[in-house]
Amino acid sequence: MGVALALAERGRGRTAPNPNVGCVIVREGRVVGRGWTQTGGRPHAEAMALAEAGANARGAIAYVTLEPCAHRSPRGPACSDLLSEAGVARVVAALEDPDARTAGEGFARLEAAGIAVTRGIRTAEARRSMAGFLTRQALGRPHVTLKLATSLDGCIAMADGSSRWITGSQARAHAHLERSRHEAILVGRGTYEADAPRLDVRLPGLEERGPMRVLLSSTVQDVPGWTVIATPQDITALPRVDHILVEGGEAVASAFLAADLVDRLLLYRAPILIGGGKTALGDIGLTDLTAAHRRWAIVDARQLGMDRREVYERERNEG
Amino acid sequence: MGVALALAERGRGRTAPNPNVGCVIVREGRVVGRGWTQTGGRPHAEAMALAEAGANARGAIAYVTLEPCAHRSPRGPACSDLLSEAGVARVVAALEDPDARTAGEGFARLEAAGIAVTRGIRTAEARRSMAGFLTRQALGRPHVTLKLATSLDGCIAMADGSSRWITGSQARAHAHLERSRHEAILVGRGTYEADAPRLDVRLPGLEERGPMRVLLSSTVQDVPGWTVIATPQDITALPRVDHILVEGGEAVASAFLAADLVDRLLLYRAPILIGGGKTALGDIGLTDLTAAHRRWAIVDARQLGMDRREVYERERNEG
Ligand SMILES: NC(=O)c1ccc[n+]([C@@H]2O[C@H](COP(=O)([O-])OP(=O)(O)OC[C@H]3O[C@@H](n4cnc5c(N)ncnc54)[C@H](OP(=O)(O)O)[C@@H]3O)[C@@H](O)[C@H]2O)c1
Ligand SMILES: NC(=O)c1ccc[n+]([C@@H]2O[C@H](COP(=O)([O-])OP(=O)(O)OC[C@H]3O[C@@H](n4cnc5c(N)ncnc54)[C@H](OP(=O)(O)O)[C@@H]3O)[C@@H](O)[C@H]2O)c1
């Protein structure tokens, strides 16, 4: 399942409106097929892995990060049918598909065809892996990551606005990698005017994966190469966007937080002190310190050169 | 040596002007004596450990975090003499004593008495352990720790000043423990006026270890129970203070940083966002981002309940 989860990451940020699924087919302890949802959402991971496995799929185990789909579409057959036609002996799945067209029906079809089904393996990681699709299903909007790059004292720039560089080259390269895993990146008019040329994906081999560029502004319209929206809530209507990366600045970050539209915080923190610089956030509508607690849970942390990257997720089931 | 370093910690914050040393005497693989510098600086660690070991010191190995002293004083004999009189076979020391009265002379006396000497074991930890004494020797002032308790976005309070509570109970208890390891704590007049009643050590069993309370103010004098100083540089003259903990607020923290008087940063960071709150620092005299880098090296990090404690040290040998 670990391999299937890693394969699923390859599709992240380019499979909307479909989930980015990963699939591994194992026969007699040997991997005979690997697949992941392709750009645009098809072929599905299972179809790709079965194609690679060929006759080796017979009697094999298929590990898949999401319940195989039960719905035929003009773009392809149902994966649960493909798996039973290929003669797979067992399917191990991380998560049930919340899509009403499948929701348990995929598992039911597999079992009806005599295939053993194991579910609920590494569910939390699979949820994280398909956060875009799941957020779209549950909340009707993309999954929102807010990125902040700060000093130890929480500044995103010096008082005069200079911010090159707070973080080091490894952290900056990593931030570019994050861009490639989102269908869209969003900035405010202030950041657009200050930094427009830099807002692309600049990693060798990933240049072509430029995400949709979205500008938040209530005053500007029609900016060539950009999709302009007038309120944070307008992200809901962005076509084929299940993951959006909010890159700033302060006004935009604060507006998204105030509207409780941030699902994931991506912090890059440099071991420096600036003092009296520009702060990461303005008013986010907090009226009482107690309410600030238990909203953010750390889910990942690692060192990137001198800097530290931390990922927090919004806790949505608090009391 | 690990045990000797741990024992040395017991004296931290109450041995000035003497170093807080730890000593363990081991005979045939068994600990026969343990000692650490006592409050006020005497007895020395070696004297205490030898007293416990008694006749068992003969032929034993003494592990000590600092070179045994070579100077007799009205308050006691030289430790290097005590060790040779006790018949110790070998002395393992972490660090040479920079005090001109000893500086190599302690080792020389031991060797002259036929005792084998091993030096330079776990030097970095020993330096950290005796930072107060070493800073006093090298720079003629106490070792300064600046404590900051912030949100993820670097705020130390909400815009209205409320800061109860940003960090959780474990982090706050730990901050009290830190107080007990400093001979003095310092705040500015702003923090004194806001928080005076809270500025004590409140840990069970440590109530009596109240550090000297120092107030930084250019306007106030004579505050009962407090030592008032008019500039950050006046810490130099505080009697029997080798470790001072600067607890805020923003103006004081910034003044100490601007004067490059901070040796150690003690950060407690809560997983909350405040937004538009009071910042940890004002202007610290930074004119260029490049100059902010390579000043602070992380030396310790750990989780305290929901919060993260990080310790950074000032890099003083940068180019
Ligand atoms: N170090 C870092 O991590 C980092 C990252 C990004 C940016 N920055 C810096 O931050 C600075 C820009 O920050 P900023 O706060 O001035 O600008 P900003 O947040 O990028 O943009 C502000 C503009 O966004 C629009 N906006 C904000 N909230 C809105 C809402 N709720 N509805 C509709 N439109 C909204 C408004 O545009 P209209 O006025 O057109 O309505 C507003 O003027 C730049 O200097 C940039 O370099 C630093
Ligand atoms: N969350 C936290 O970690 C934390 C910690 C501590 C404090 N706080 C909060 O911070 C607030 C206080 O901060 P603040 O910045 O207003 O006050 P402050 O830094 O505590 O005190 C400012 C005063 O200190 C004196 N001072 C500062 N720099 C000096 C210098 N270079 N030489 C001589 N005197 C100097 C001045 O007193 P004179 O005007 O008398 O000269 C100045 O008015 C309080 O609300 C407190 O609760 C939060």
Side-chain angles (χ1 to χ4, degrees):
Chain A
M1 188 59 77
V3 177
L5 285 163
L7 293 172
E9 286 305 298
R10 299 196 182 180
R12 176 162 351 209
R14 36 183 187 176
T15 64
N18 285 354
N20 53 305
V21 179
C23 177
V24 179
I25 300 177
V26 177
R27 184 174 175 181
E28 289 165 12
R30 211 165 53 82
V31 171
V32 294
R34 302 178 314 151
W36 57 95
T37 318
Q38 296 296 294
T39 303
R42 291 271 174 178
H44 283 184
E46 299 93 323
M48 181 179 171
L50 286 169
E52 187 184 336
N56 282 325
R58 192 150 303 276
I61 306 178
Y63 294 87
V64 57
T65 61
L66 185 69
E67 178 182 3
C69 66
H71 53 279
R72 290 172 180 284
S73 99
R75 298 170 70 205
C79 291
S80 49
D81 294 343
L82 287 179
L83 287 161
S84 58
E85 281 158 24
V88 162
R90 173 181 294 275
V91 169
V92 180
L95 218 61
E96 182 171 306
D97 188 346
D99 186 321
R101 294 171 301 176
T102 294
E105 182 61 21
F107 290 145
R109 280 212 210 184
L110 292 170
E111 284 170 339
I115 299 175
V117 173
T118 309
R119 48 199 101 183
I121 305 297
R122 298 179 76 166
T123 308
E125 286 154 282
R127 290 205 155 272
R128 196 160 292 144
S129 157
M130 283 173 283
F133 173 73
L134 296 173
T135 305
R136 173 69 74 184
Q137 292 283 330
L139 303 175
R141 60 161 177 82
H143 184 262
V144 178
T145 294
L146 172 63
K147 180 200 124 184
L148 300 172
T150 73
S151 61
L152 294 180
D153 54 324
C155 296
I156 59 167
M158 288 178 59
D160 67 5
S162 43
S163 63
R164 291 182 202 176
W165 296 107
I166 290 177
T167 51
S169 57
Q170 282 190 48
R172 299 200 309 272
H174 199 283
H176 279 281
L177 181 63
E178 282 280 348
R179 283 187 187 164
S180 75
R181 303 168 85 220
H182 290 76
E183 288 93 0
I185 62 170
L186 180 147
V187 299
R189 188 170 56 84
T191 302
Y192 167 77
E193 282 169 5
D195 298 335
R198 297 200 298 123
L199 297 168
D200 50 7
V201 176
R202 286 174 302 170
L203 280 181
L206 292 173
E207 296 86 349
E208 85 289 358
R209 292 197 57 174
M212 175 191 287
R213 301 192 295 176
V214 181
L215 180 57
L216 178 64
S217 167
S218 61
T219 59
V220 168
Q221 281 132 13
D222 295 331
V223 179
W226 289 75
T227 302
V228 184
I229 62 174
T231 74
Q233 285 73 16
D234 292 343
I235 56 169
T236 306
L238 294 170
R240 291 187 175 275
V241 174
D242 278 357
H243 305 83
I244 189 163
L245 180 64
V246 175
E247 295 224 9
E250 182 197 282
V252 163
S254 308
F256 270 81
L257 285 165
D260 199 7
L261 282 173
V262 179
D263 302 298
R264 180 171 171 259
L265 279 179
L266 175 61
L267 305 185
Y268 297 94
R269 208 163 58 111
I272 66 172
L273 295 175
I274 291 182
K278 296 208 170 174
T279 53
L281 301 177
D283 183 22
I284 58 170
L286 186 71
T287 51
D288 163 10
L289 262 183
T290 316
H293 288 276
R294 306 199 176 281
R295 296 170 79 91
W296 299 103
I298 192 159
V299 296
D300 194 27
R302 69 153 127 161
Q303 202 65 22
L304 288 172
M306 303 295 282
D307 307 316
R308 183 171 154 91
R309 170 183 180 268
E310 290 179 344
V311 181
Y312 293 82
E313 279 179 3
R314 178 78 170 89
E315 302 263 35
R316 297 216 177 264
N317 49 358
E318 87 275 27
Chain B
M1 188 59 79
V3 177
L5 285 163
L7 293 173
E9 286 305 299
R10 299 195 182 181
R12 177 169 340 217
R14 36 184 186 175
T15 64
N18 285 355
N20 52 305
V21 179
C23 177
V24 178
I25 299 177
V26 177
R27 184 173 175 183
E28 291 164 11
R30 211 165 54 82
V31 171
V32 295
R34 303 177 314 151
W36 57 95
T37 318
Q38 296 295 294
T39 302
R42 290 270 174 179
H44 283 185
E46 299 93 323
M48 180 177 169
L50 286 169
E52 186 184 335
N56 283 325
R58 193 150 304 274
I61 306 178
Y63 294 87
V64 57
T65 61
L66 185 69
E67 177 182 4
C69 66
H71 52 279
R72 289 173 180 284
S73 100
R75 298 171 69 206
C79 291
S80 49
D81 294 344
L82 287 179
L83 287 161
S84 58
E85 282 160 22
V88 162
R90 172 181 293 276
V91 169
V92 180
L95 219 62
E96 182 172 305
D97 189 344
D99 185 321
R101 295 171 300 176
T102 294
E105 182 60 24
F107 290 144
R109 280 214 208 182
L110 292 170
E111 284 169 339
I115 298 176
V117 173
T118 309
R119 50 198 101 183
I121 305 299
R122 299 179 75 166
T123 307
E125 286 155 280
R127 290 204 155 272
R128 195 159 293 145
S129 157
M130 283 173 283
F133 173 73
L134 296 172
T135 306
R136 174 69 73 185
Q137 293 283 329
L139 303 175
R141 61 162 177 82
H143 184 263
V144 178
T145 294
L146 172 63
K147 180 201 125 184
L148 300 173
T150 74
S151 60
L152 294 179
D153 55 323
C155 297
I156 59 166
M158 288 179 59
D160 68 6
S162 44
S163 63
R164 294 185 201 172
W165 296 107
I166 290 176
T167 52
S169 56
Q170 282 190 47
R172 300 201 308 273
H174 199 282
H176 279 281
L177 182 63
E178 282 279 347
R179 283 186 188 165
S180 75
R181 302 168 84 219
H182 290 77
E183 288 94 0
I185 62 170
L186 180 148
V187 299
R189 187 170 56 85
T191 301
Y192 167 77
E193 282 170 5
D195 297 333
R198 298 199 298 124
L199 298 168
D200 50 6
V201 175
R202 285 174 303 173
L203 277 181
L206 292 173
E207 296 86 350
E208 85 289 359
R209 292 197 59 175
M212 174 191 288
R213 301 191 296 177
V214 181
L215 180 57
L216 178 64
S217 167
S218 61
T219 59
V220 168
Q221 283 133 12
D222 296 331
V223 179
W226 289 75
T227 301
V228 183
I229 62 175
T231 74
Q233 285 73 17
D234 293 342
I235 56 169
T236 306
L238 293 170
R240 292 187 175 272
V241 174
D242 277 357
H243 304 83
I244 188 163
L245 180 63
V246 175
E247 295 224 10
E250 181 197 282
V252 164
S254 308
F256 270 81
L257 286 164
D260 199 7
L261 282 173
V262 179
D263 302 298
R264 178 171 173 259
L265 278 179
L266 175 61
L267 304 185
Y268 296 94
R269 207 163 59 109
I272 66 172
L273 295 174
I274 291 182
K278 296 210 170 174
T279 53
L281 301 178
D283 184 20
I284 59 170
L286 186 71
T287 52
D288 163 10
L289 263 183
T290 316
H293 288 276
R294 306 200 176 281
R295 296 171 80 91
W296 299 102
I298 191 159
V299 296
D300 194 27
R302 68 153 126 160
Q303 201 65 23
L304 289 172
M306 303 295 284
D307 307 316
R308 183 172 154 91
R309 170 183 181 268
E310 291 179 344
V311 180
Y312 293 82
E313 279 177 4
R314 178 79 170 87
E315 302 263 35
R316 298 217 175 263
N317 48 0
E318 87 277 24

